[in-house]
Amino acid sequence: MDHDIAFMIERWLMQCQRASTKTQLTQILQSIVKQLDMDYYLMCVVSPQQLKSSDMFVIDNYPSDWMSHYVGNDLKKNDPVVLHAQTSVTPIFWQNANIISTTNPHADIKIMQQAADAGLVDGITAPIRGMFGEFGLISIASKELIDLDKYINLNQILLSITPYLYEASNRLKINNSPANKIELTSRESECMEWVIEGKTAWETAQILGISERTTNFHVNNVIEKTSSSNRQQAIAKLLISGLLKPVI
């Protein structure tokens, strides 16, 4: 990696660490695409809210007609690039997408040709794996085919900057998340930690040295704070939101 590229990466990393708005994050992606002589960018992070619902954070400058076609026909289910990102942590060169179509029966290589017809001729995609079950990807695309040397440079840059872009997007999400406004008392957290471990209210009370009635009082407070119907739903919300984390 030459000095100029290293300097650009360092600057982008610092900008990511300071980013506090979606506009600032968009400007970083615009700068990356411009400096790397590429044409398009897309960053998508899917954050689970409950087991059957998710929140999607998207920043892109893809052609609007292509995005409408892609979303309208739910192409993500068969997109070789997305399928790769779901099962790998390494970037994928779009020219290698045909490999995915030969190993995954759900992959449809025709989607890559449709993208090329829309102007997204070639690109590279880096998967995102989040701290709280988030899944996503960052793609940088070109109107022209990319040679091997440029692919190698793009690969190095995406590997370096993707974690910082994710952390910036996660910071924006947390700042605007309703879960961020939920505060558990230390006793509520202790009670829920043992409930998550499968302990009954009586067993939790014995462990913590409190009454069973007090245990149920704290658990019911958590159910109310998380707008849950029962303790099972409260547990799911606490784990998904990261309000309670496994002991390391």
Side-chain angles (χ1 to χ4, degrees), residues 8-178:
M8 287 192 299
I9 291 175
E10 183 177 352
R11 184 183 63 193
W12 290 327
L13 298 188
M14 292 178 63
Q15 290 173 342
C16 286
Q17 290 175 323
R18 298 194 200 105
S20 59
T21 66
K22 193 172 183 178
T23 298
Q24 290 173 332
L25 200 53
T26 300
Q27 291 170 344
I28 296 170
L29 287 164
Q30 290 172 340
S31 174
I32 292 171
V33 165
K34 181 178 180 180
Q35 292 295 326
L36 299 180
D37 194 26
M38 299 288 280
D39 299 295
Y40 300 107
Y41 59 83
L42 179 141
M43 177 177 182
C44 177
V45 182
V46 178
S47 305
Q49 301 301 305
Q50 299 182 38
L51 291 181
K52 291 185 175 295
S53 65
S54 298
D55 177 61
M56 185 175 292
F57 177 90
V58 179
I59 300 175
D60 76 284
N61 71 337
Y62 274 19
S64 57
D65 289 346
W66 167 247
M67 291 301 290
S68 296
H69 173 73
Y70 189 94
V71 174
N73 291 280
D74 200 19
L75 297 185
K76 68 178 184 297
K77 292 182 178 178
N78 304 103
D79 185 340
V81 170
V82 174
L83 293 174
H84 168 85
Q86 289 176 335
T87 58
S88 177
V89 295
T90 59
I92 180 173
F93 302 158
W94 289 9
Q95 291 178 28
N96 293 336
N98 62 308
I99 298 174
I100 308 302
S101 65
T102 61
T103 58
N104 190 318
H106 300 291
D108 185 355
I109 194 62
K110 295 192 295 294
I111 292 175
M112 303 306 297
Q113 184 56 54
Q114 294 175 26
D117 293 341
L120 301 162
V121 174
D122 203 356
I124 181 172
T125 296
I128 292 174
R129 292 289 183 279
M131 295 180 291
F132 307 120
E134 298 96 336
F135 158 77
L137 52 82
I138 296 176
S139 294
I140 299 177
S142 172
K143 297 177 182 178
E144 301 175 351
L145 287 173
I146 302 170
D147 62 39
L148 181 58
D149 288 341
K150 187 167 184 176
Y151 255 145
I152 292 172
N153 280 334
L154 291 172
N155 186 63
Q156 291 177 314
I157 291 168
L158 272 187
L159 283 172
S160 299
I161 197 169
T162 293
Y164 290 81
L165 288 167
Y166 158 69
E167 283 200 351
S169 70
N170 191 53
R171 188 166 58 248
L172 301 184
K173 180 198 72 175
I174 289 175
N175 289 342
N176 295 303
S177 172

Side-chain angles (χ1 to χ4, degrees), residues 162-207:
T162 293
Y164 290 81
L165 288 167
Y166 158 69
E167 283 200 351
S169 70
N170 191 53
R171 188 166 58 248
L172 301 184
K173 180 198 72 175
I174 289 175
N175 289 342
N176 295 303
S177 172
N180 193 46
K181 299 176 175 60
I182 298 174
E183 294 185 2
L184 302 185
T185 67
S186 59
R187 186 61 85 186
E188 288 169 350
S189 295
E190 287 176 331
C191 288
M192 293 306 299
E193 286 167 0
W194 287 111
V195 169
I196 289 171
E197 291 295 321
K199 302 300 182 182
T200 65
W202 182 85
E203 290 171 324
T204 299
Q206 295 302 304
I207 293 169

Side-chain angles (χ1 to χ4, degrees), residues 211-242:
S211 69
E212 184 176 355
R213 179 178 180 181
T214 300
T215 298
N216 284 324
F217 171 78
H218 290 305
V219 171
N220 288 331
N221 279 347
V222 174
I223 292 173
E224 183 177 347
K225 285 183 177 181
T226 57
S227 300
S228 301
S229 301
N230 50 50
R231 64 179 60 194
Q232 287 77 18
Q233 187 181 28
I235 289 171
K237 289 185 177 182
L238 291 174
L239 292 175
I240 288 172
S241 67

